[in-house]
Amino acid sequence: MTDPTLASLNDRRSVPSRQLGEPAPDDATLRRLLEAAIRVPDHGKLEPFRIRVLRGEDKLAFGSKLAKLALDANPDLSDAKQEKERRRYEYAPLVLVVSARIDTESKVPELEQDLTAGCVAYNILLGAQALGFGAQWLSGWAAYDRAVAKLLGMKKNEHIVGFIHVGTPTMDAPERDRPSYDDIVSVWSP
Protein backbone atom coordinates (compact mmCIF):
# COMPACT_ATOMS: atom_id res chain seq x y z
CA MET A 1 0.00 0.00 0.00
CA THR A 2 1.38 3.40 -0.98
CA ASP A 3 1.32 6.08 1.67
CA PRO A 4 -0.09 9.30 0.14
CA THR A 5 2.27 11.53 2.10
CA LEU A 6 5.37 9.65 0.93
CA ALA A 7 3.94 9.53 -2.58
CA SER A 8 3.62 13.33 -2.59
CA LEU A 9 7.26 13.65 -1.48
CA ASN A 10 8.39 11.22 -4.17
CA ASP A 11 6.35 13.07 -6.81
CA ARG A 12 7.61 16.56 -5.86
CA ARG A 13 9.03 18.54 -8.77
CA SER A 14 10.17 22.09 -9.18
CA VAL A 15 8.33 23.63 -12.10
CA PRO A 16 10.55 26.19 -13.85
CA SER A 17 9.17 29.68 -13.25
CA ARG A 18 8.91 30.30 -17.02
CA GLN A 19 6.48 27.36 -17.17
CA LEU A 20 4.11 28.78 -14.54
CA GLY A 21 1.02 30.64 -15.70
CA GLU A 22 -2.39 31.67 -14.49
CA PRO A 23 -4.16 30.94 -12.36
CA ALA A 24 -2.30 31.39 -9.12
CA PRO A 25 -3.93 30.50 -5.82
CA ASP A 26 -6.75 32.88 -4.99
CA ASP A 27 -6.65 34.72 -1.66
CA ALA A 28 -8.49 32.01 0.30
CA THR A 29 -6.34 29.22 -1.16
CA LEU A 30 -3.16 31.20 -0.58
CA ARG A 31 -4.14 31.69 3.05
CA ARG A 32 -4.73 27.93 3.46
CA LEU A 33 -1.37 27.24 1.83
CA LEU A 34 0.56 29.69 3.98
CA GLU A 35 -1.19 28.71 7.23
CA ALA A 36 -0.07 25.14 6.55
CA ALA A 37 3.43 26.20 5.43
CA ILE A 38 4.23 27.99 8.68
CA ARG A 39 3.68 24.82 10.74
CA VAL A 40 7.40 24.15 11.02
CA PRO A 41 9.88 23.15 13.72
CA ASP A 42 10.57 26.37 15.62
CA HIS A 43 12.97 25.99 18.55
CA GLY A 44 12.14 28.72 21.06
CA LYS A 45 8.88 29.64 19.30
CA LEU A 46 10.66 32.62 17.72
CA GLU A 47 8.69 32.62 14.46
CA PRO A 48 11.89 33.61 12.61
CA PHE A 49 10.23 33.88 9.21
CA ARG A 50 8.18 36.32 7.21
CA ILE A 51 6.46 36.07 3.84
CA ARG A 52 5.88 38.91 1.39
CA VAL A 53 3.37 38.44 -1.43
CA LEU A 54 4.12 39.84 -4.89
CA ARG A 55 1.35 39.84 -7.51
CA GLY A 56 0.23 41.74 -10.58
CA GLU A 57 1.63 45.18 -11.28
CA ASP A 58 3.45 45.26 -7.92
CA LYS A 59 5.33 42.10 -8.86
CA LEU A 60 6.30 43.60 -12.22
CA ALA A 61 7.40 46.85 -10.56
CA PHE A 62 9.56 44.84 -8.17
CA GLY A 63 11.18 43.05 -11.12
CA SER A 64 11.85 46.37 -12.83
CA LYS A 65 13.49 47.75 -9.67
CA LEU A 66 15.64 44.60 -9.38
CA ALA A 67 16.81 45.03 -12.97
CA LYS A 68 17.85 48.61 -12.17
CA LEU A 69 19.71 47.46 -9.04
CA ALA A 70 21.51 44.80 -11.09
CA LEU A 71 22.60 47.41 -13.62
CA ASP A 72 23.66 49.85 -10.89
CA ALA A 73 25.81 47.13 -9.32
CA ASN A 74 27.28 46.11 -12.67
CA PRO A 75 27.23 48.88 -15.31
CA ASP A 76 28.85 46.45 -17.80
CA LEU A 77 25.90 44.06 -17.60
CA SER A 78 25.18 42.79 -21.11
CA ASP A 79 21.92 43.69 -22.83
CA ALA A 80 20.87 40.02 -22.70
CA LYS A 81 21.44 39.83 -18.94
CA GLN A 82 19.63 43.15 -18.43
CA GLU A 83 16.68 41.74 -20.36
CA LYS A 84 16.75 38.53 -18.30
CA GLU A 85 16.68 40.57 -15.07
CA ARG A 86 13.87 42.75 -16.42
CA ARG A 87 11.71 39.73 -17.32
CA ARG A 88 12.45 37.48 -14.31
CA TYR A 89 9.14 38.29 -12.57
CA GLU A 90 6.88 38.26 -15.64
CA TYR A 91 6.14 34.54 -15.75
CA ALA A 92 4.68 33.08 -12.55
CA PRO A 93 1.58 35.01 -11.47
CA LEU A 94 2.59 34.87 -7.80
CA VAL A 95 5.95 35.25 -6.09
CA LEU A 96 6.33 34.69 -2.36
CA VAL A 97 9.43 36.17 -0.77
CA VAL A 98 10.35 34.06 2.25
CA SER A 99 12.74 35.66 4.69
CA ALA A 100 14.46 34.76 7.92
CA ARG A 101 14.13 37.26 10.75
CA ILE A 102 16.96 36.46 13.12
CA ASP A 103 16.66 37.12 16.85
CA THR A 104 20.31 37.78 17.71
CA GLU A 105 19.49 37.95 21.43
CA SER A 106 18.04 34.43 21.49
CA LYS A 107 19.90 31.38 22.75
CA VAL A 108 18.61 29.61 19.62
CA PRO A 109 21.50 29.54 17.12
CA GLU A 110 21.07 31.67 14.01
CA LEU A 111 21.48 28.57 11.86
CA GLU A 112 18.43 26.97 13.47
CA GLN A 113 16.43 30.12 12.83
CA ASP A 114 17.52 30.10 9.17
CA LEU A 115 16.59 26.42 8.87
CA THR A 116 13.13 27.16 10.26
CA ALA A 117 12.59 29.81 7.58
CA GLY A 118 13.88 27.34 4.98
CA CYS A 119 11.32 24.80 6.17
CA VAL A 120 8.59 27.39 5.51
CA ALA A 121 9.87 27.83 1.94
CA TYR A 122 9.94 24.07 1.38
CA ASN A 123 6.47 23.63 2.85
CA ILE A 124 5.22 26.20 0.33
CA LEU A 125 6.63 24.04 -2.48
CA LEU A 126 4.98 20.92 -1.08
CA GLY A 127 1.69 22.65 -0.33
CA ALA A 128 1.47 24.33 -3.72
CA GLN A 129 1.88 20.98 -5.45
CA ALA A 130 -0.66 19.33 -3.14
CA LEU A 131 -3.15 22.03 -4.18
CA GLY A 132 -2.52 21.39 -7.88
CA PHE A 133 -0.14 24.28 -8.51
CA GLY A 134 3.50 24.31 -9.51
CA ALA A 135 6.28 26.17 -7.74
CA GLN A 136 9.97 26.87 -7.94
CA TRP A 137 12.29 28.14 -5.19
CA LEU A 138 14.80 30.59 -6.63
CA SER A 139 17.48 32.68 -5.00
CA GLY A 140 20.21 34.22 -7.17
CA TRP A 141 22.04 37.44 -6.47
CA ALA A 142 18.87 39.25 -5.31
CA ALA A 143 18.48 36.93 -2.31
CA TYR A 144 21.84 38.07 -0.95
CA ASP A 145 21.75 41.75 -1.82
CA ARG A 146 21.07 44.19 1.03
CA ALA A 147 19.62 46.78 -1.36
CA VAL A 148 16.98 44.22 -2.38
CA ALA A 149 16.24 43.42 1.27
CA LYS A 150 15.88 47.15 1.94
CA LEU A 151 13.60 47.52 -1.10
CA LEU A 152 11.35 44.89 0.54
CA GLY A 153 11.38 46.77 3.85
CA MET A 154 13.59 44.31 5.71
CA LYS A 155 15.53 45.34 8.78
CA LYS A 156 19.18 44.44 9.33
CA ASN A 157 18.26 41.23 11.19
CA GLU A 158 16.19 39.94 8.26
CA HIS A 159 17.38 38.36 5.01
CA ILE A 160 15.84 36.62 2.04
CA VAL A 161 15.71 32.82 2.06
CA GLY A 162 14.20 32.57 -1.39
CA PHE A 163 11.72 33.71 -3.97
CA ILE A 164 9.01 31.07 -4.42
CA HIS A 165 7.35 31.40 -7.83
CA VAL A 166 3.85 29.86 -7.87
CA GLY A 167 1.31 29.28 -10.62
CA THR A 168 -0.31 26.66 -12.79
CA PRO A 169 2.14 24.49 -14.74
CA THR A 170 1.89 24.99 -18.49
CA MET A 171 3.64 21.64 -19.06
CA ASP A 172 4.71 18.62 -17.06
CA ALA A 173 7.71 19.30 -14.83
CA PRO A 174 10.70 17.24 -15.83
CA GLU A 175 12.20 14.69 -13.46
CA ARG A 176 15.86 15.13 -12.70
CA ASP A 177 18.52 12.80 -11.39
CA ARG A 178 18.15 12.24 -7.67
CA PRO A 179 20.82 11.18 -5.19
CA SER A 180 21.31 7.49 -4.60
CA TYR A 181 20.23 6.24 -1.20
CA ASP A 182 23.43 4.18 -0.90
CA ASP A 183 25.59 7.21 -1.68
CA ILE A 184 24.18 9.39 1.09
CA VAL A 185 22.94 7.10 3.86
CA SER A 186 25.28 5.29 6.23
CA VAL A 187 24.93 3.58 9.56
CA TRP A 188 27.23 4.82 12.29
CA SER A 189 28.53 2.47 14.93
CA PRO A 190 31.17 2.96 17.61
Side-chain angles (χ1 to χ4, degrees), residues 12 22 46 56 128 165 179:
R12 197 203 69 75
E22 294 285 356
L46 299 176
H165 296 245

Side-chain angles (χ1 to χ4, degrees), residues 26-47:
D26 61 24
D27 289 340
T29 304
L30 179 60
R31 183 179 186 103
R32 285 179 44 225
L33 170 60
L34 297 181
E35 284 178 341
I38 62 176
R39 295 179 59 93
V40 294
D42 181 7
H43 186 187
K45 299 179 185 175
L46 299 176
E47 299 172 2

Side-chain angles (χ1 to χ4, degrees), residues 62-102:
F62 176 74
S64 179
K65 289 179 185 290
L66 284 190
K68 182 176 180 337
L69 287 173
L71 186 58
D72 290 348
N74 182 3
D76 297 327
L77 197 64
S78 72
D79 290 344
K81 288 188 178 179
Q82 288 180 51
E83 182 66 12
K84 181 179 179 181
E85 291 300 333
R86 226 182 332 276
R87 301 200 63 201
R88 188 178 300 275
Y89 292 87
E90 290 182 3
Y91 304 103
L94 172 67
V95 177
L96 302 169
V97 185
V98 179
S99 61
R101 191 185 68 171
I102 305 300

Side-chain angles (χ1 to χ4, degrees), residues 73 106 141 149 185:
S106 174
W141 70 271
V185 177

Side-chain angles (χ1 to χ4, degrees), residues 14-25 53-63 84 86-97 124-125 128 133-138 163-170:
S14 288
V15 179
S17 63
R18 290 175 180 245
Q19 296 173 7
L20 294 169
E22 294 285 356
V53 178
L54 305 176
R55 292 186 197 234
E57 293 301 317
D58 294 338
K59 175 180 62 83
L60 298 177
F62 176 74
K84 181 179 179 181
R86 226 182 332 276
R87 301 200 63 201
R88 188 178 300 275
Y89 292 87
E90 290 182 3
Y91 304 103
L94 172 67
V95 177
L96 302 169
V97 185
I124 291 171
L125 295 179
F133 296 99
Q136 185 179 32
W137 178 347
L138 297 172
F163 300 93
I164 313 298
H165 296 245
V166 182
T168 298
T170 59

Side-chain angles (χ1 to χ4, degrees), residues 109-180:
E110 289 182 21
L111 176 59
E112 287 190 32
Q113 296 178 56
D114 271 327
L115 291 170
T116 294
C119 287
V120 170
Y122 187 61
N123 276 355
I124 291 171
L125 295 179
L126 293 174
Q129 184 166 308
L131 291 168
F133 296 99
Q136 185 179 32
W137 178 347
L138 297 172
S139 54
W141 70 271
Y144 307 103
D145 189 283
R146 284 311 303 168
V148 175
K150 186 175 179 182
L151 175 65
L152 289 164
M154 294 180 186
K155 298 198 175 3
K156 288 183 180 182
N157 68 329
E158 188 176 4
H159 60 270
I160 297 166
V161 170
F163 300 93
I164 313 298
H165 296 245
V166 182
T168 298
T170 59
M171 60 182 59
D172 289 338
E175 178 58 284
R176 66 173 181 81
D177 290 337
R178 302 292 175 171
S180 163

